[in-house]
Amino acid sequence: MIGRYSRPEMAALWTEEAKLGRWLAVELAVCRAWARRGVVPEDDLRTIEARAAFSVERTREIERTTNHDVVAFLTDVAEHVGPASRWVHYGMTSSDVLDTGLALALRDGGRALVREQAALTQALKARALEQAGQVVVGRTHGVHAEPTTFGLKLAGFAFESRRNEQRLAAAVEGAAVGKLSGAVGTYATLPPDLEAEVMAELGLQAEPVSTQVVPRDRHAALVQAMALAASGLDRLATEVRHLQRTEVREAEEAFTKGQKGSSAMPHKRNPITAERISGLARVIRGNAVAALEDVALWHERDISHSSVERVILPDSFTLLDYLQATTRRLVEGLVVHPDRMAAVLTSSGGLVYSQRVLLGLVEHGLTREEAYAVVQSNAMRSWDEGTPLRDLLAADERVRAHLAPAELDELFDPGWHTRHVDEVMDRVRAL
C-alpha cells in the first residue's frame, strides 16, 4: 500500500526485511527441534544460530538467477553460515517456511487490528454516551421517520464495531496456523511431533491436515472479516457525509486551522475524511473477492494464490489499520450542531409524529384503518401545502371528535419517542 494510506507500525510488518526475518525464525526453530532429536550436531546448531543472517539486496540478486525466492533466501543464508547450513531447511519444503512465516504476520498484524478496532469501539461508546439525550430526526429511506437521539445513532455503530472486534479476533486465531508436514502433507521428512514442537515455540497452531500448503479458506475468512470491518467504517462515514450536507449540517468532521476545502471556492468544508474512508473500504471489499478465489487450488497445491496474496494481504492489513485509526479520529473530533438538529427535526412540520397520532386515535376508539386514513390524508396535505400537521389535525372534525387539544399536544412530544434511550445506554456503558 502506498505511504499515503499507511501507518509505520503496520507497514513495517509487511516489508521484505520483516518477511525474510520471519522465514529465518521458522528455519532456526526447525534446526533447534532437529538438534534436540540428535539430528543436527550441537556445534553446527551453535554455528547456525550465531551466523544465520540475510540481506534483502543479496536475496533479490540471487533470485534474479534462481527465479525462486525461497531458494534465493536459503542461498543467502548459507553464504553467511558456511558448511553448517546443510541443516537449514532440512526436510522442509518451501511452503513449510512460506506459510508458517505468513501465519506469524497474520497473527501479529491481526492482533494490531483487533486492538485498533477496540479503540474505535471505545471512542464510539464515549461519544454515544455524551450525545445520549440529543434529540435528532431519524430517517428511513433518507426520509424523516421519527425522533431518535444522536447518541442512539452512535451506539449502533459502537456495537457494530464490537462485533467486528470479535469477528477479527476469531478470524485471526483461525489464520494463525502454520505447517511443517512436507511436500504433500504426509510428514514424510518431518515428524508430526517436530511440527507440534516448532509451532508451540512460534506461538502458532499446527494445521491438522495440510497439503503442501495451509488451506486458503483460513486466509479468505480473515480477509472477509477485514472487509466486514471496513464496511462498518464505510457505513459510519456515509452517515457523516449525509449529516454534513449543507441543507442538513447536523454534524460535521473537524475542519482544522489552515485547512482548505477547495482550490476554487473558499467557503467549502468538505467531508474529505469520511469520503476517503468510504473509498478505501471498497479496496478491501474487492480484496475479499480475490481471497475467495484463492481457496480453490489444484490438488495438493498450485501457486496461483501466491501472487494474489503478495498484493491483497499487505494492502488489506495496512489499509484497515489506517482506516480504523482515521475513523477513530473522525469520531473523536466530530462536531455536533444541536441547533441544526432541532431545526431539521421541526422542518417537516410535525410529520415525524404521524404514528403517535395514529396510535392515539386507535386508543380513542377508531379502527386502525380509519385512524390511518385520517392521519395519512392530513399528512399528505402537510407535505404538499407546507402546513404543520398539528394544525391540520386540530381542524379535522374526525380528530376533534376523539382527541381534545391537550391530548393532541401530547402526541407531538418527542420525549415519548426517546423515553427508553437510557435503558439502551446502559447496554452501551457495558461495552
Side-chain angles (χ1 to χ4, degrees):
M1 181 47 57
I2 63 175
R4 185 180 183 93
Y5 305 128
S6 303
R7 297 203 303 163
E9 181 180 356
M10 182 63 79
L13 186 68
W14 297 99
T15 63
E16 194 72 7
E17 183 84 22
K19 181 184 76 174
L20 297 184
R22 290 188 290 269
W23 290 4
L24 186 58
V26 174
E27 296 284 0
L28 291 176
V30 173
C31 286
R32 286 190 287 269
W34 280 126
R36 286 189 289 269
R37 286 160 175 76
V39 175
V40 176
E42 286 297 329
D43 287 347
D44 284 350
L45 178 63
R46 283 193 290 270
T47 299
I48 292 168
E49 291 188 314
R51 297 182 181 177
F54 62 86
S55 161
V56 171
E57 293 74 17
R58 178 57 179 151
T59 295
R60 285 174 172 165
E61 179 185 3
I62 298 169
E63 187 180 357
R64 285 193 285 271
T65 299
T66 64
N67 200 28
H68 194 295
D69 54 355
V70 175
V71 171
F73 166 74
L74 293 171
T75 302
D76 185 3
V77 172
E79 290 176 351
H80 288 84
V81 173
S85 65
R86 67 186 183 277
W87 301 113
V88 177
H89 207 67
Y90 180 76
M92 299 171 67
T93 190
S94 294
S95 288
D96 287 331
V97 65
L98 287 169
D99 279 6
T100 305
L102 177 59
L104 293 172
L106 299 181
R107 179 197 65 193
D108 295 345
R111 287 174 177 174
L113 293 179
V114 173
R115 287 195 300 272
E116 195 57 49
Q117 191 73 43
L120 174 60
T121 301
Q122 294 306 310
L124 285 163
K125 170 186 173 180
R127 293 308 304 265
L129 293 173
E130 170 197 304
Q131 298 292 323
Q134 177 56 58
V135 179
V136 65
V137 71
R139 299 174 176 86
T140 56
H141 304 274
V143 179
H144 285 197
E146 292 185 345
T148 181
T149 77
F150 195 55
L152 197 57
K153 276 179 176 277
L154 294 175
F157 290 109
F159 272 91
E160 181 179 20
S161 183
R162 173 53 57 84
R163 292 191 296 275
N164 280 317
E165 283 180 55
Q166 295 165 340
R167 281 188 284 257
L168 284 169
V172 169
E173 182 179 357
V177 172
K179 55 89 61 178
L180 292 169
S181 54
V184 292
T186 60
Y187 297 99
T189 53
L190 301 103
D193 64 309
L194 184 146
E195 178 188 64
E197 193 174 300
V198 171
M199 294 304 160
E201 178 180 336
L202 296 174
L204 299 172
Q205 296 296 314
E207 180 61 46
V209 179
S210 66
T211 56
Q212 190 174 107
V213 296
V214 171
R216 258 43 198 179
D217 63 293
R218 295 183 179 276
H219 307 74
L222 176 54
V223 181
Q224 287 182 84
M226 295 165 71
L228 266 173
S231 295
L233 306 182
D234 183 10
R235 187 174 80 91
L236 173 58
T238 300
E239 180 74 13
V240 172
R241 290 166 62 191
H242 171 77
L243 297 181
Q244 190 162 336
R245 291 167 59 192
T246 305
E247 60 269 31
V248 179
R249 203 161 171 258
E250 293 178 353
E252 59 185 339
E253 59 186 58
F255 195 81
T256 59
K257 183 178 181 180
Q259 183 176 337
K260 303 295 187 290
S262 167
S263 63
M265 297 170 283
H267 74 278
K268 295 281 279 179
R269 290 166 63 160
N270 301 327
I272 58 169
T273 301
E275 289 172 341
R276 189 185 321 137
I277 293 166
S278 289
L280 292 177
R282 299 167 189 168
V283 178
I284 302 179
R285 286 196 291 269
N287 288 349
V289 175
L292 289 170
E293 294 293 331
D294 276 351
V295 173
L297 302 178
W298 285 17
H299 307 299
E300 279 62 56
R301 182 225 184 180
D302 65 50
I303 202 172
S304 61
H305 65 289
S306 177
S307 55
V308 179
E309 289 175 355
R310 290 173 191 262
V311 176
I312 67 170
L313 292 178
D315 278 10
S316 296
F317 272 84
T318 306
L319 261 185
L320 183 56
D321 173 71
Y322 170 82
L323 289 176
Q324 289 169 326
T326 301
T327 305
R328 178 162 52 86
R329 289 194 298 272
L330 173 66
V331 169
E332 291 171 342
L334 191 66
V335 179
V336 178
H337 298 295
D339 55 336
R340 286 296 305 156
M341 290 178 174
V344 172
L345 177 63
T346 60
S347 66
S348 53
L351 287 170
V352 295
Y353 303 104
S354 67
Q355 180 180 205
R356 181 75 176 110
V357 177
L358 166 68
L359 297 178
L361 290 171
V362 169
E363 291 166 4
H364 282 75
L366 270 67
T367 67
R368 181 177 177 83
E369 290 74 17
E370 291 170 337
Y372 197 102
V374 170
V375 178
Q376 186 183 43
S377 63
N378 284 284
M380 294 305 102
R381 281 188 61 195
S382 180
W383 274 118
D384 295 337
E385 300 172 7
T387 305
L389 178 61
R390 167 69 178 75
D391 295 348
L392 293 174
L393 291 170
D396 190 318
E397 290 295 337
R398 297 170 296 178
V399 176
R400 293 170 62 182
H402 294 85
L403 293 173
E407 292 173 321
L408 186 59
D409 288 340
E410 288 179 5
L411 302 180
F412 283 76
D413 177 13
W416 186 86
H417 294 270
T418 62
R419 67 193 188 282
H420 295 300
V421 168
D422 283 346
E423 296 173 52
V424 179
M425 288 299 153
D426 285 340
R427 305 168 190 169
V428 177
R429 292 182 184 93
L431 276 175

